[in-house]
Amino acid sequence: MNARPSLAVAQRSLGDPSLSYPLLPPLTRGCPETSTPSVAYPLEVDYDYARVPGDLFAQAPLPDIARWSPLLPPLAAPTLGEGGTPLLEFDGVYVKDESRNPTWSHKDRLNRVTVSAAVAAGAPGVVVASSGNHGASAAAYAARAGLPAVVLASAESPPAVQTFVRAYGAKVLTVPADRRWPLLREIVDELGYHPVSNQSVTHTGHPYGPEGYKTIAYEVFAQLGRVPAAVFTPTGYGELVYGVWKGFAELHRLGVAAGTPAVFTCEPAAGGPTARALATGEPAVIVPAGHSAAYAILCDVGGHRGVRAVRDSGGQALLVSDDAMRAAQRELALRGVWQELSGAAGLAAFRALGREFDGPVVCVATSSGFKDLGVGGHRAEVVEDPTWRDAVSPR
């Protein structure tokens, strides 16, 4: 498949939409004019929307997000076949199963775009601070592009996930949590490695990252044949929910869709910086984080993207308990979809909300259950003299 040229033209500030910057280099430390010592405003990519091909959304869904290349930053890194994930219906709700991506999580959409930026910039490598999914994905896409990767992992990340990351040839450094981001900045400044994760006081991350997540919205629209009434997304820093919201907003802007969905952020109750920011009217906040087994989305540092997505869509920020996520995880597994605990947060929040919607509801399920804490540590008890009754006894 020959990708059409990107129509990306600039980076635009979410702190002040009238401010724009050249497309390159990516401003990975936030908007230089609107950010303050306490709040960093992200940037997003702007496009020449008037030139978007009229048949762009008439294509059949296929793996490789390059099918949407006019509405993505230039894709200089090769694909691993990301995208084209199934939309499954269970008991009146649709589940977008992102565990079916190449490294078993939604992060592959982001890293196809951000590693492309590293390739385009001629960077000698990429560096990421990650507890799991993001690190594995960045390592895989860096390897595919022929770039070395450094992954700064936390001591709490599952050993199996760190093994997964190392399998791609990445250098994994397990460091104290408070050293990960200062060390990342040192590697960027001293070695010139391209950062594919956050460097700022509140979260900005890579300005190109959420552009990869837009393709979830494009696919859902194609799979449903319409815009859903609501979308529930597991939320850490808010890059995913903002990307999904932006994708639907673009469909509406281009006249492809008649409206947009309400989007709901779904955070562990032990943290919840997006919910706190919306409750207090702040652009982004930092909160104390307690304990949650949903480590992939447990954040104390918030970002402005999630706040914007909820406000602009008329959605809501929801907090979910670990027990609610475990129930949703079991519900999905008993229907053939094994999700990481964090990946079940969207369905958990939808079930807990108990609200009726005038149209389809989509819950984004982000990552395979293989990424969870404690996976692989249980040894099964051997049944010494099995009978057929052992095989059919209730679970």
Side-chain angles (χ1 to χ4, degrees):
M1 180 177 64
N2 294 322
R4 303 182 193 187
S6 169
L7 297 176
V9 293
Q11 298 175 84
R12 185 166 62 89
S13 172
L14 291 188
D16 180 350
S18 70
L19 295 174
S20 65
Y21 304 89
L23 190 62
L24 292 170
L27 299 178
T28 57
R29 293 181 179 175
C31 175
E33 295 186 55
T34 60
S35 297
T36 70
S38 59
V39 175
Y41 285 97
L43 296 107
E44 65 174 349
V45 178
D46 201 6
Y47 299 85
D48 185 355
Y49 289 103
R51 295 177 54 211
V52 174
D55 65 345
L56 182 63
F57 296 99
Q59 306 170 84
L62 294 171
D64 184 356
I65 61 173
R67 66 182 295 252
W68 314 110
S69 54
L71 287 174
L72 293 173
L75 295 175
T79 186
L80 285 169
E82 67 289 331
T85 58
L87 185 69
L88 308 169
E89 185 178 9
F90 302 125
D91 298 334
V93 62
Y94 290 89
V95 174
K96 182 67 167 165
D97 184 8
E98 288 294 288
S99 72
R100 305 282 282 275
N101 278 296
T103 71
W104 311 337
S105 89
H106 64 302
K107 292 290 185 179
D108 292 341
R109 297 180 190 261
L110 176 149
N111 279 298
R112 173 74 188 286
V113 174
T114 57
V115 173
S116 287
V119 172
V126 300
V127 58
V128 57
S130 169
S131 57
N133 289 320
H134 191 15
S137 179
Y141 278 83
R144 181 76 173 93
L147 292 175
V150 174
V151 179
L152 306 177
S154 67
E156 293 75 27
S157 62
V161 173
Q162 294 196 27
T163 301
F164 186 32
V165 175
R166 287 186 175 93
Y168 297 117
K171 174 68 173 179
V172 180
L173 298 178
T174 303
V175 298
D178 62 351
R179 280 290 296 146
R180 284 199 292 169
W181 286 274
L183 182 56
L184 182 142
R185 288 191 288 269
E186 291 173 22
I187 292 170
V188 171
D189 294 340
E190 298 296 327
L191 300 179
Y193 274 40
H194 196 79
V196 294
S197 59
N198 189 55
Q199 299 180 80
S200 51
V201 58
T202 56
H203 189 274
T204 61
H206 200 292
Y208 292 9
E211 303 302 309
Y213 291 144
K214 294 189 312 187
T215 60
I216 294 175
Y218 303 159
E219 290 175 17
V220 166
F221 178 76
Q223 290 164 322
L224 280 179
R226 59 169 293 184
V227 170
V231 180
F232 291 74
T233 68
T235 303
Y237 294 127
E239 292 172 298
L240 172 62
V241 68
Y242 186 77
V244 170
W245 160 243
K246 184 178 179 181
F248 282 115
E250 286 179 335
L251 290 167
H252 181 55
R253 174 178 182 162
L254 293 166
V256 177
T260 55
V263 298
F264 293 77
T265 57
C266 311
E267 301 173 283
T274 301
R276 177 73 63 84
L278 283 159
T280 59
E282 297 294 325
V285 300
I286 298 173
V287 300
H291 173 75
S292 170
Y295 71 95
I297 56 172
L298 178 63
C299 294
D300 53 358
V301 175
H304 186 56
R305 289 190 182 97
V307 173
R308 282 288 299 273
V310 171
R311 284 180 179 166
D312 291 354
S313 73
Q316 189 176 345
L318 304 173
L319 299 176
V320 289
S321 69
D322 279 24
D323 285 345
M325 286 185 277
R326 289 189 183 97
Q329 185 184 43
R330 287 193 297 272
E331 178 184 346
L332 288 169
L334 291 175
R335 286 160 175 78
V337 177
W338 187 32
Q339 283 289 310
E340 179 183 10
L341 190 64
S342 300
L347 180 61
F350 170 64
R351 295 293 191 218
L353 187 63
R355 175 177 159 188
E356 295 289 331
F357 289 90
D358 185 19
V361 172
V362 172
C363 297
V364 180
T366 50
S367 173
S368 167
F370 281 109
K371 311 286 188 68
D372 252 338
L373 297 166
V375 170
H378 174 72
R379 288 182 64 88
E381 181 180 348
V382 176
V383 179
E384 296 293 348
D385 188 19
T387 72
W388 64 266
R389 290 183 177 84
D390 295 307
V392 297
S393 59
R395 286 178 285 190

